[in-house]
Amino acid sequence: MASKSGWTPSRLYPKEELQKDYQVFRSVLEESHPGLYWYTPKDSMNYYFDWGYRQLNDSMTEPQFRSVLSYVIAKVKCGHTSTRYSRKFLHYLDTARLPQFPISIKVLENDTVVLNNFIQRSNLKLTRGTILTSLNGAPIKQIVDSLVTHIPQDGNNTSYLMQTISNRGAFGGWLRLVAGYAPSYEVGYLDSLGKEQKTVFNLVEPPKKDSGRKTILPQLKEKLRQREQRANELDRARSLQIDTALSTGYMTVNTFNNGYRLKSFFRSAFKELRRNKVKHLVIDIRSNGGGNVAHSTYLTKKIRSTPFKLADSLYAVSRKSRFGNYVRFNGVTGIFMRFITRKKADGFYHFGYFERKEFKPARKDLFKGQVYLLTGPNSFSAAAIFALTVKGQSNVTLIGEETGGGAYGNSAWFIPDVRLPETGIRFRLPKFRLVINKEAVKDGRGVLPDVEVKSTRQSIIENRDLKVEAVRSLIIQKR
């Protein structure tokens, strides 16, 4: 076993160090997490905590220990509470030439698992949409169900879990964490006649660093100057196209994070919509994982025609942690929260500004035409709040799938990392619990669409976007 100074990715941590880290892990969550028992009762959560500790009966590598932590933390059912590797291990993953898992999957509504990329093996070619049946002799859906028990989600949102495991590279990534990679895999699939076949594939070696890329890299750098690269980055984050023939604007907003000039983009975009007298606006937030709620609120004010609130309640259970040495920015957070929160009779520290604040519609360039909001399981956090806040307005139609972010609320806002002292593994600790609408049913679901449209095996094979097709059909009907 290597010493701490001679760290290696295969280092085995003795059980005493793992148990110390686990006690910090549990204690911080029990002390500071505002939604620890929101969807999982305390006695059940205690059972999972105890189960995790019982697994630490021998030494473990960092991935093995993180697998235990991820299983336990997923039982909190908070999509903002997740584990991360230590900085050393992440650096190792970023710099090592590790073999890659070549299969991406898509889990469909009827529990069918299909291939979501192309696999070429000598004279055998498996195309997108091929139905997968097994992996190394185990039913593929059974493997999927096992892996998603390690994925955190808001409440009881199973559609989010199935989409998360279907995101590019996610199936292989979770398989590596939970089970470790094998040198080769036997995959079962259905051929064109519906008969089960099997083939073997190996992990894929990444391209060598001294490959032909060296000869073209200077040319790429010359072409993509810093300004152009930045423009492309901004365009991927948010964009607007206008179809004058259909009098329709297509706005893609893939993030509400800072750093993408979102406020100035929204300002100029809605001005452009007004100048072109656009009657229909499609807003695509299917890939929007959230970010700064100030940006989602600004967009809401351009759509919502009546005043609105973001929170019926927003509170923390503590201002700072007794385990401050392990919580990032613990001291600064404690000072900051003294100014923005007040302790109420319920014993919680309430963020009164957002509990009282009523936002008004934009005075300038409020869009009054028809709005079609494309949503999906990757619509999370601030994106789900935006979807919920505009849902129900007479000129707004939500099209697609249930959002990944919870409709009743979430635990988020300030989310410092907690670093465990022995392994360096980190986990995210949201400080505030948000209830958007206390009159709503707390069923652990996301924001449901008005018109549900889901991918099918045929649409995957044909590479068709059924949600965009549905929107276009609605616009043509209204015209």
Side-chain angles (χ1 to χ4, degrees):
M1 180 179 69
S3 65
K4 287 187 179 181
S5 59
W7 182 90
T8 66
S10 58
R11 180 190 176 197
L12 287 171
Y13 291 86
K15 68 177 185 180
E16 292 78 15
E17 293 183 3
L18 300 175
Q19 290 170 349
K20 178 181 178 181
D21 271 7
Y22 193 86
Q23 288 169 346
V24 172
F25 167 77
R26 177 174 182 171
S27 297
V28 170
L29 288 172
E30 290 179 329
E31 172 206 59
S32 299
H33 197 289
L36 187 61
Y37 311 118
W38 206 0
Y39 290 102
T40 304
K42 185 175 182 179
D43 57 347
S44 297
M45 202 63 234
N46 286 340
Y47 168 83
Y48 291 119
F49 277 133
D50 293 342
W51 175 91
Y53 190 83
R54 289 197 300 272
Q55 309 311 303
L56 311 179
N57 52 17
D58 201 351
S59 56
M60 288 184 177
T61 64
E62 182 173 331
Q64 290 171 334
F65 183 46
R66 187 188 166 209
S67 178
V68 173
L69 297 179
S70 68
Y71 179 85
V72 174
I73 211 168
K75 303 306 172 285
V76 180
K77 297 187 178 181
C78 169
H80 290 92
T81 309
S82 57
T83 65
R84 301 176 66 189
Y85 282 119
S86 68
R87 295 187 184 279
K88 288 182 179 180
F89 203 91
L90 275 182
H91 178 72
Y92 159 71
L93 293 177
D94 289 340
T95 56
R97 295 183 62 253
L98 298 177
Q100 301 167 352
F101 194 81
I103 286 181
S104 287
I105 66 168
K106 172 68 176 175
V107 183
L108 301 178
E109 186 176 18
N110 57 357
D111 287 345
T112 301
V113 180
V114 300
L115 185 66
N116 206 21
N117 60 335
F118 294 90
I119 299 295
Q120 181 76 47
R121 291 292 178 269
S122 62
N123 61 342
L124 174 66
K125 182 178 181 181
L126 300 183
T127 59
R128 292 182 77 229
T130 298
I131 296 177
L132 304 178
T133 58
S134 65
L135 189 69
N136 280 0
I140 190 77
K141 187 55 170 59
Q142 178 180 311
I143 295 174
V144 168
D145 290 341
S146 174
L147 295 181
V148 298
T149 61
H150 294 258
I151 300 176
Q153 92 264 32
D154 275 0
N156 304 309
N157 196 328
T158 55
S159 62
Y160 172 78
L161 292 178
M162 293 304 110
Q163 178 58 53
T164 299
I165 200 70
S166 299
N167 289 336
R168 185 176 181 181
F171 179 72
W174 284 102
L175 187 65
R176 177 173 61 188
L177 173 65
V178 176
Y181 279 163
S184 64
Y185 289 88
E186 180 187 70
V187 62
Y189 66 96
L190 299 184
D191 64 16
S192 59
L193 299 177
K195 295 183 177 180
E196 185 166 12
Q197 306 289 346
K198 294 183 179 179
T199 187
V200 175
F201 66 87
N202 298 322
L203 299 178
V204 176
E205 291 294 326
K208 295 181 178 180
K209 294 183 179 181
D210 59 349
S211 65
R213 289 184 179 184
K214 282 189 175 181
T215 61
I216 64 172
L217 191 57
Q219 297 176 9
L220 291 176
K221 285 186 176 180
E222 184 65 22
K223 280 185 177 182
L224 300 175
R225 296 176 183 272
Q226 188 174 1
R227 186 175 296 179
E228 185 178 350
Q229 288 178 322
R230 178 58 173 162
N232 290 338
E233 181 184 0
L234 292 174
D235 193 59
R236 287 192 296 269
R238 75 293 189 278
S239 62
L240 174 70
Q241 291 84 36
I242 295 178
D243 183 342
T244 54
L246 286 179
S247 188
T248 300
Y250 295 90
M251 180 183 292
T252 300
V253 186
N254 287 329
T255 183
F256 286 124
N257 281 332
N258 295 327
Y260 295 99
R261 305 175 189 169
L262 285 171
K263 190 173 182 179
S264 61
F265 165 74
F266 292 140
R267 189 185 300 117
S268 61
F270 281 91
K271 183 184 293 184
E272 190 71 14
L273 294 171
R274 173 176 56 81
R275 286 175 177 172
N276 285 273
K277 299 181 180 179
V278 170
K279 296 180 181 178
H280 305 271
L281 174 60
V282 180
I283 305 177
D284 190 343
I285 60 167
R286 287 177 292 175
S287 297
N288 192 319
N292 189 338
V293 74
H295 296 314
S296 61
T297 301
Y298 189 86
L299 178 58
T300 306
K301 291 166 68 175
K302 294 291 189 180
I303 303 297
R304 174 95 177 209
S305 59
T306 57
F308 62 94
K309 290 177 63 179
L310 293 181
D312 275 335
S313 65
L314 181 64
Y315 62 81
V317 298
S318 63
R319 282 178 169 160
K320 61 180 182 178
S321 173
R322 293 182 292 111
F323 303 90
N325 290 338
Y326 313 126
V327 182
R328 194 179 186 197
F329 305 131
N330 183 62
V332 175
T333 300
I335 295 172
F336 181 62
M337 290 182 68
R338 283 199 192 97
F339 290 96
I340 66 171
T341 65
R342 293 291 181 271
K343 191 173 184 179
K344 292 190 176 181
D346 58 9
F348 300 134
Y349 298 90
H350 286 255
F351 198 160
Y353 171 80
F354 280 106
E355 292 181 337
R356 297 185 300 269
K357 176 66 176 177
E358 188 175 72
F359 297 92
K360 297 180 179 180
R363 294 181 180 179
K364 190 175 182 180
D365 295 330
L366 174 68
F367 189 80
K368 298 181 180 180
Q370 294 295 318
V371 178
Y372 309 87
L373 186 61
L374 299 183
T375 63
N378 284 328
S379 306
F380 196 72
S381 194
I385 294 174
F386 166 64
L388 181 69
T389 310
V390 299
K391 179 180 169 67
Q393 187 166 290
S394 60
N395 67 327
V396 176
T397 304
L398 271 62
I399 299 174
E401 300 177 63
E402 176 183 8
T403 65
Y408 185 77
N410 59 46
S411 296
W413 294 71
F414 296 120
I415 315 178
D417 275 351
V418 180
R419 180 185 177 277
L420 299 180
E422 299 299 328
T423 61
I425 289 177
R426 294 163 292 166
F427 65 93
R428 303 178 76 212
L429 178 69
K431 296 294 291 183
F432 282 91
R433 171 169 163 173
L434 165 71
V435 173
I436 303 171
N437 179 7
K438 62 184 179 183
E439 303 301 327
V441 178
K442 186 175 75 72
D443 57 3
R445 299 293 300 275
V447 182
L448 301 178
D450 301 309
V451 179
E452 187 176 57
V453 182
K454 294 187 175 183
S455 298
T456 65
R457 179 172 175 248
Q458 195 61 33
S459 70
I460 292 173
I461 293 172
E462 298 174 359
N463 197 26
R464 292 169 54 198
D465 191 332
L466 299 185
K467 298 176 180 64
V468 171
E469 291 180 13
V471 166
R472 186 175 177 83
S473 178
L474 283 174
I475 292 172
I476 291 174
Q477 288 177 22
K478 288 184 179 296
R479 292 181 72 234

